[in-house]
Amino acid sequence: MSGKTAVVDRSGLTAGPAACKNSLVSDGTACIHTQNATTDRGPQMIIAQTPLRLSFLGGGTDFEDFYSVNGGGAVLSSAIDKFTFVIVKQRFDDMIYLNYSRKEIVSRVDDVRHDLIREAMRMTGVEKGVEITTMADVPSEGTGLGSSSSITVGLLQALHTYRGVSVTAEDLARQACQVEIDILGKPIGKQDQYISAYGNMRFITFQRDTISMDRVDLSDECKRKLNENLLLFYTGRTRQASAILTEQKQNIGDRLDVLKAMAGLASEARQALLSGAYDEFGELLHRGWDLKKQLSSNITSGEIDGMYRAARDAGAVGGKVAGAGGGGFLLLYCPAAKRDDVRASLGHLRELPFRFHNDGSKVIFNYRN
């Protein structure tokens, strides 16, 4: 169960129960400072900012059904400078107002239709008298940039802060997994929750009882060079990831060799980046995409294959569809001399400029009267 998983953060910062000196809980559950945990001190508003992510290699090996019985999983992923935002504002009455792609006005948490908001409120103990708004820099569903888990982490961050409760990145990631996987039963892995909470570029390894967050220590100049060679295009199509991921999860037993190879490529890609072999990293993206397409019948389509083929013909070394596949964003690695040709080959698609981002989820506005 995700609630019992220990986390090792090798970025130089201690994460998890050891980082929290008050109210230490022996089973690894959230270590919480509860002093001032009240919303009765006058009007307040909290804004949490949580990064989206690009998963380069290893996606699919973060399913507990795989890593817990097959020697572990490994993912190479990075937070980027595109975000979700969660605003929590105290109301003068006891009603619950919610603003997302729809608007809800209810009197009880149990009546909330948005499943992530409902379960985040239950987990944090916020029960009434609040208005919650969610926003995102990109379409909030089906883009492959981890927006659902980013929203979940941001909700927990904002609602804990609203109650005056301090939690670690580990707490946020683990609780987000509890909400999405254990409570709501979503057929997803765990990389998105962890990279959203921790930020930076990470090599994440998954074992039965341990998740390790290893920062990929590239200099700012190396990150800039890599960033310049990565292009991100919106295919114009969104999809419900759940259908793809449900099939992918069902296929795990028949795809063990593929998944083990994908975890191995994530490790190779990490070493390629650390050694400055960026073109090799692009080639590994291509190999990883070929493997990923074997996990589910809906990860790609003739149209997506056509886009990818055109980009490769124009000089892209490798790439992949972000996230579960089926639509959303197409990530491409292109050497400097070929970028203009690749852009021209995909001129009908909208490009999304991005930069790697160091920070995980954080509160950017905290007003208390």
Side-chain angles (χ1 to χ4, degrees):
M1 294 290 289
S2 59
K4 298 293 185 181
T5 302
V7 176
V8 179
D9 179 10
R10 300 196 181 101
S11 64
L13 301 174
T14 303
C20 193
K21 301 303 182 184
N22 296 338
S23 306
L24 186 61
V25 181
S26 61
D27 68 357
T29 54
C31 222
I32 296 174
H33 299 278
T34 56
Q35 68 270 23
N36 300 323
T38 177
T39 59
D40 297 327
R41 297 193 172 187
Q44 60 177 310
M45 184 168 73
I46 309 296
I47 303 177
Q49 172 187 284
T50 306
L52 300 177
R53 63 95 183 97
L54 280 172
S55 176
F56 300 121
L57 287 150
T61 71
D62 58 328
F63 278 77
E64 191 168 2
D65 289 1
F66 171 75
Y67 70 74
S68 63
V69 294
N70 289 284
V75 170
L76 182 65
S77 183
S78 180
I80 61 173
D81 65 346
K82 301 294 176 282
F83 307 97
T84 63
F85 299 89
V86 175
I87 303 171
V88 177
K89 185 179 184 302
Q90 187 173 5
R91 288 186 54 79
F92 72 94
D93 57 22
D94 289 339
M95 296 298 290
I96 299 169
Y97 276 57
L98 306 178
N99 309 293
Y100 50 104
S101 56
R102 300 177 181 176
K103 186 175 183 70
E104 295 188 49
I105 302 174
V106 298
S107 58
R108 303 186 312 146
V109 174
D110 290 350
D111 295 330
V112 171
R113 296 177 60 191
H114 192 298
D115 55 1
L116 298 178
I117 297 177
R118 181 184 65 246
E119 300 306 329
M121 291 181 71
R122 285 173 172 168
M123 182 164 286
T124 56
V126 176
E127 299 178 348
K128 61 184 180 179
V130 70
E131 182 164 358
I132 301 174
T133 301
T134 65
M135 297 177 288
D137 285 341
V138 299
S140 58
E141 287 188 358
T143 59
L145 301 181
S147 58
S148 177
S149 294
S150 177
I151 284 286
T152 307
V153 169
L155 283 164
L156 292 166
Q157 176 77 272
L159 289 167
H160 277 308
T161 304
Y162 179 78
R163 296 217 43 234
V165 174
S166 176
V167 290
T168 65
E170 179 211 341
D171 295 329
L172 291 173
R174 179 170 36 76
Q175 290 178 6
C177 288
Q178 289 175 336
V179 166
E180 294 192 275
I181 301 171
D182 299 340
I183 297 173
L184 296 176
K186 294 182 181 292
I188 59 177
K190 296 183 178 180
Q191 63 159 315
D192 292 356
Q193 301 87 346
Y194 277 84
I195 196 66
S196 292
Y198 279 84
N200 221 303
M201 185 181 293
R202 303 272 178 170
F203 180 69
I204 312 173
T205 53
F206 301 87
Q207 301 291 333
R208 180 188 292 272
D209 298 315
T210 305
I211 296 174
S212 297
M213 303 292 296
D214 294 345
R215 192 171 61 200
V216 181
D217 285 318
L218 301 180
S219 68
D220 290 343
E221 178 63 16
C222 289
K223 280 188 176 182
R224 183 190 64 78
K225 289 179 179 179
L226 175 62
N227 217 148
E228 288 178 349
N229 287 354
L230 291 171
L231 306 180
L232 193 61
F233 295 91
Y234 184 49
T235 64
R237 292 146 192 82
T238 59
R239 78 286 181 271
Q240 287 292 332
S242 58
I244 298 172
L245 292 172
T246 296
E247 180 187 352
Q248 182 176 320
K249 185 175 181 179
Q250 293 170 345
N251 290 341
I252 285 176
D254 297 326
R255 305 289 194 279
L256 296 181
D257 289 343
V258 173
L259 288 162
K260 289 175 182 177
M262 292 173 69
L265 288 182
S267 181
E268 288 184 47
R270 176 199 193 191
Q271 293 304 315
L273 292 180
L274 291 173
S275 64
Y278 301 136
D279 287 355
E280 179 184 344
F281 172 79
E283 293 167 359
L284 291 168
L285 284 179
H286 177 66
R287 290 169 57 190
W289 175 236
D290 279 344
L291 289 172
K292 184 176 179 66
K293 289 185 290 184
Q294 300 178 44
L295 299 181
S296 168
S297 60
N298 296 311
I299 285 178
T300 190
S301 66
E303 193 169 13
I304 291 172
D305 287 342
M307 297 174 189
Y308 186 65
R309 190 181 311 111
R312 290 262 293 170
D313 289 345
V317 174
K320 58 171 291 188
V321 172
F329 282 91
L330 175 64
L331 175 70
L332 298 165
Y333 178 90
C334 308
K338 299 294 184 179
R339 288 179 210 148
D340 289 343
D341 292 339
V342 170
R343 287 185 170 110
S345 73
L346 300 175
H348 60 296
L349 301 182
R350 181 185 295 272
E351 184 178 355
L352 180 67
F354 72 93
R355 289 288 180 265
F356 299 129
H357 190 69
N358 290 337
D359 294 337
S361 183
K362 63 183 179 181
V363 172
I364 59 172
F365 184 83
N366 186 345
Y367 169 78
R368 295 172 184 269
N369 188 7

